[in-house]
Amino acid sequence: MSNDAAPKPSPVEGIKTASRFLRGTLAEELASDADHFGEESKQLLKFHGSYQQEDRDARKKRDKPAGKAYMFMIRLKLPGGKLTPAQYLAMDDICGKYANGTLRLTTRQSIQFHGILKGGLKASIAAMNDAFVSTLGACGDVNRNVIACPASTGDPVRVQMQELADKVAAHLAPRAGAGAYHEIWLNGEKQETFAAPEVAEPIYGDIYLPRKFKTGFALPHDNCTDILAQCLGFLAISEKNQPVGYNLYVGGGQGNTNSKPDTYPLLAQPVCFLEPDEVVPAAEAVVRLYKDHGNRSDRKRARLKYVMKDWGVEKFREVFSRDYFKKPLRPLVDAPITGLDLHLGWHKQANGKFFLGLSVENGRIKDEGSYRLRSGLRAIVSKFDCIVRISTQQDILLGEIDGANKAAIDSLLNEYGIPKPENLSMLQKWSMACPAIPTCGLAISESERSLPGLVDQIEPMLAELGLAGEPISVRMTGCPNGCARPFQSEIGLVGRSGSKYTLYIGGDSYGRRMNFEVQDSVPIEQLPGKLNNVFKAFKAERQGAELFGDYCHRVGLNRLQELIGPVVK
Ligand code: SRM
Ligand code: SF4
């Protein structure tokens, strides 16, 4: 037998090609009485924007091995995180009617709905589309939600960037898949605002991409979208506040698998400079390169970042330029990343109106006791007709607000118990957690439900040291897939098993650098004490206005390990 036989494609490859452009047997299974889908449909469902999940809390409570408590998550495709007031209010209605009464803002500027039962799936997706919001391609092996700085400042650079984000999203949206989507969820009706279904996929073909693909836009002084974590990144270059083009970055990603040492997070590499009208063709060219060269046999090593890693940036440039972009590449413009804006608080727009950024703890919009964020947002959006933008830090921005209404909105925030950003700790504003348990099937530890308690313990430590005003990013995930981008944060806490986390320290607040893995399997109760040792050393040894992550990076891994000490058994 020959050794050089092509590796066997993964089973998902077969499911995609046999699916007749994402149809499979989804319609039949949707119509059946079963409370869940079979394995093949479960894979195809992702392309339509939904994940089959299980209520993991219910699993723990059950005393007999009854069937799983199936439920579904739906994720919107929302380029740039933009919603009109009517669309936001429709999404709020849907979460109350079909889901668990919460909206979950994501790290890619989208909204997730959790806890939908199979019987409510079709009605939910139809209601989203009635509000002209699609879910097609929010998940699956296609270009995912395109992210771009959400600030509605109205400056020419952001305006162009946000328009290009829409264009890339539309260009890379599934076309034949749109036919399946309309048939299954919308009774064949075509939604006028979305691209018309086609009979074939002009870019993806019937095999789609080897794996998920992620695109982001950012500015050098405002990397709020973490573009170095993206498969494809466009960094806006401007002259005299006018957009002149984009530096192209390729090959970032966070996910890795504990049992596979050949998987790891990687930062995107700078490739070339593009003029604005080259952005869409370059996006298509990178996607086509990935389609042809990504690994289709091992889904754990199938992301574009591994093509970049295995080839190196020089070979990538050569193949990209010759075979896909089909033009010589222009040299990069010198434009280092120098900042990141959370866009919280009141800001003036170019048209004289205002936008207000509100910090949403771990992206969860809910009503709980006196904290009535969901009702408060509903009241503000309906009364003042504000546009809504979601940030990649899981926060919400309300825009197009008349200056005369600012005071009334501030008093509504008080009435609904919604904290103003200036009254929140820096730590809370700079923290993010993924959903993890009870909805995520891949979680090995808690995240969204654990981080707030940890933040509560760490805040007073920082305050006592006079460090409460420092921007220190803390990102927690329930497993190493990295959904809250923990490997680029100053403090990353990654679920290892149960209540133990791997502790990472030393990224920077602007997403330019990976952190160090400092200690594995740290029990959660030991984390505050260990971190406090590092905060104390930072306080004593920082140089000038050095930021926490920069200090940690400077002193290095050995010093950090010395500071945190061994795990206490
Ligand atoms: Fe993620 C899988 C949630 C952003 C890397 N992610 C999942 C799933 C769907 C679990 C699953 O496959 O069964 C999670 C659903 C949990 C739930 O109950 O809702 C999930 N990911 C999320 C969200 C909601 C986290 C959040 O706190 O907001 C984010 C939704 C983004 C969106 O709106 O599209 C989310 N996921 C990310 C990011 C951050 C980003 O894109 O900037 C990453 C790291 C970047 C990257 O892709 O490398 C990320 N998610 C993953 C991975 C690892 C992929 C890999 O390369 O190995 C998985 C697992 C997988 O794909 O097999 C995953
Ligand atoms: Fe689930 Fe892991 Fe992503 Fe958290 S990081 S949502 S646990 S896949």
Side-chain angles (χ1 to χ4, degrees), residues 106-108 112 114 212 214 254 303 439 483 485:
T106 76
T107 55
R108 296 194 68 76
Q112 285 190 176
H114 287 112
K212 55 175 75 164
K214 300 184 170 180
Q254 297 268 295
R303 300 291 298 276
T439 53
C483 296
R485 300 185 289 271

Side-chain angles (χ1 to χ4, degrees), residues 89-140:
L89 295 172
M91 298 309 120
D92 178 84
D93 286 340
I94 293 166
C95 89
K97 195 165 173 193
Y98 301 106
N100 65 358
T102 73
L103 292 167
R104 177 53 159 73
L105 310 183
T106 76
T107 55
R108 296 194 68 76
Q109 294 185 296
S110 181
I111 296 180
Q112 285 190 176
F113 300 76
H114 287 112
I116 298 175
L117 297 179
K118 179 164 169 267
L121 259 185
K122 185 168 175 169
S124 307
I125 293 181
M128 291 164 190
N129 279 267
D130 281 347
F132 302 108
V133 177
S134 181
T135 65
L136 176 64
C139 320

Side-chain angles (χ1 to χ4, degrees), residues 381-401:
V381 173
S382 49
K383 183 156 185 202
F384 299 101
D385 211 29
C386 332
I387 60 159
V388 172
R389 298 245 169 119
I390 296 159
S391 82
T392 61
Q393 312 287 324
Q394 305 171 323
D395 294 329
I396 193 163
L397 277 51
L398 308 175
E400 295 302 317
I401 297 170

Side-chain angles (χ1 to χ4, degrees), residues 425-428 431 450-470 472-476 491-493 503 505 524-536 548:
S425 75
M426 287 291 267
L427 200 65
Q428 209 236 272
S431 70
S450 277
L451 186 59
L454 210 53
V455 167
D456 285 349
Q457 291 178 66
I458 298 173
E459 273 166 355
M461 294 172 170
L462 287 169
E464 199 175 319
L465 291 166
L467 298 173
E470 296 297 318
I472 300 177
S473 56
V474 184
R475 297 178 178 176
M476 180 182 254
I491 300 174
L493 305 168
L503 172 61
I505 308 183
I524 191 164
E525 62 280 5
Q526 294 182 28
L527 286 167
K530 287 178 181 294
L531 289 170
N532 203 23
N533 292 343
V534 188
F535 297 144
K536 284 182 190 159
F548 176 71

Side-chain angles (χ1 to χ4, degrees), residues 10-256:
S10 77
V12 178
E13 292 300 309
I15 295 173
K16 287 185 281 188
T17 39
S19 73
R20 296 171 296 119
F21 296 111
L22 310 182
R23 286 172 179 80
T25 55
L26 271 174
E28 294 79 349
E29 290 187 50
L30 185 65
S32 87
D33 291 338
D35 61 357
H36 67 285
F37 291 87
E39 204 47 46
E40 293 191 1
S41 291
K42 197 173 126 184
Q43 293 300 334
L44 294 178
L45 191 60
K46 296 180 189 177
F47 289 79
H48 294 255
S50 178
Y51 273 74
Q52 180 164 299
Q53 300 185 320
E54 164 198 10
D55 180 347
R56 295 180 59 179
D57 284 343
R59 188 205 295 175
K60 273 191 246 151
K61 281 183 222 136
R62 269 197 314 270
D63 49 0
K64 60 184 167 71
K68 293 178 176 175
Y70 286 107
M71 57 185 200
F72 294 79
M73 174 268 273
I74 299 180
R75 186 185 288 167
L76 304 179
K77 189 80 173 277
L78 220 51
K82 298 192 288 284
L83 288 167
T84 63
Q87 286 172 330
Y88 179 80
L89 295 172
M91 298 309 120
D92 178 84
D93 286 340
I94 293 166
C95 89
K97 195 165 173 193
Y98 301 106
N100 65 358
T102 73
L103 292 167
R104 177 53 159 73
L105 310 183
T106 76
T107 55
R108 296 194 68 76
Q109 294 185 296
S110 181
I111 296 180
Q112 285 190 176
F113 300 76
H114 287 112
I116 298 175
L117 297 179
K118 179 164 169 267
L121 259 185
K122 185 168 175 169
S124 307
I125 293 181
M128 291 164 190
N129 279 267
D130 281 347
F132 302 108
V133 177
S134 181
T135 65
L136 176 64
C139 320
D141 297 345
V142 290
N143 183 49
R144 301 287 188 91
N145 205 34
V146 176
I147 58 176
C149 172
S152 54
T153 52
D155 70 275
V157 182
R158 283 192 176 80
V159 168
Q160 184 190 75
M161 198 178 72
Q162 287 160 355
E163 281 170 9
L164 282 172
D166 285 343
K167 283 189 183 157
V168 170
H171 191 74
L172 299 179
R175 312 283 175 79
Y181 186 78
H182 295 131
E183 282 165 33
I184 297 166
W185 309 106
L186 311 174
N187 297 328
E189 289 163 25
K190 181 169 83 65
Q191 206 56 272
E192 292 305 329
T193 46
F194 305 133
E198 293 174 20
V199 286
E201 293 289 1
I203 299 174
Y204 297 128
D206 64 358
I207 51 173
Y208 291 87
L209 296 179
R211 206 62 167 77
K212 55 175 75 164
F213 184 85
K214 300 184 170 180
T215 305
F217 288 73
L219 299 97
H221 65 278
D222 181 10
N223 183 28
C224 66
T225 53
D226 267 338
I227 68 158
L228 301 187
Q230 309 300 315
C231 303
L232 174 62
F234 297 100
L235 188 70
I237 307 297
S238 57
E239 276 169 20
K240 299 190 181 122
N241 203 26
Q242 293 301 317
V244 295
Y246 295 81
N247 276 348
L248 173 71
Y249 284 79
V250 175
Q254 297 268 295
N256 63 104

Side-chain angles (χ1 to χ4, degrees), residues 257-332:
T257 306
N258 284 331
S259 57
K260 274 184 74 77
D262 62 342
T263 62
Y264 26 75
L266 287 166
L267 294 181
Q269 297 298 309
V271 174
C272 65
F273 172 77
L274 301 166
E275 296 202 336
D277 63 2
E278 292 174 323
V279 163
V280 173
E284 179 179 331
V286 173
V287 164
R288 285 186 184 276
L289 180 154
Y290 176 45
K291 182 180 159 221
D292 293 347
H293 295 282
N295 182 332
R296 287 187 185 263
S297 59
D298 178 359
R299 285 183 67 80
K300 300 258 182 236
R301 216 175 179 280
R303 300 291 298 276
L304 177 60
K305 65 182 177 180
Y306 298 115
V307 176
M308 178 61 93
K309 169 78 181 160
D310 295 346
W311 285 4
V313 71
E314 278 318 317
K315 178 172 172 191
F316 183 92
R317 283 193 184 114
E318 190 188 311
V319 177
F320 171 68
S321 162
R322 185 190 61 221
D323 299 342
Y324 294 92
F325 194 47
K326 301 192 173 157
K327 281 190 201 180
L329 303 186
R330 288 193 202 85
L332 290 145

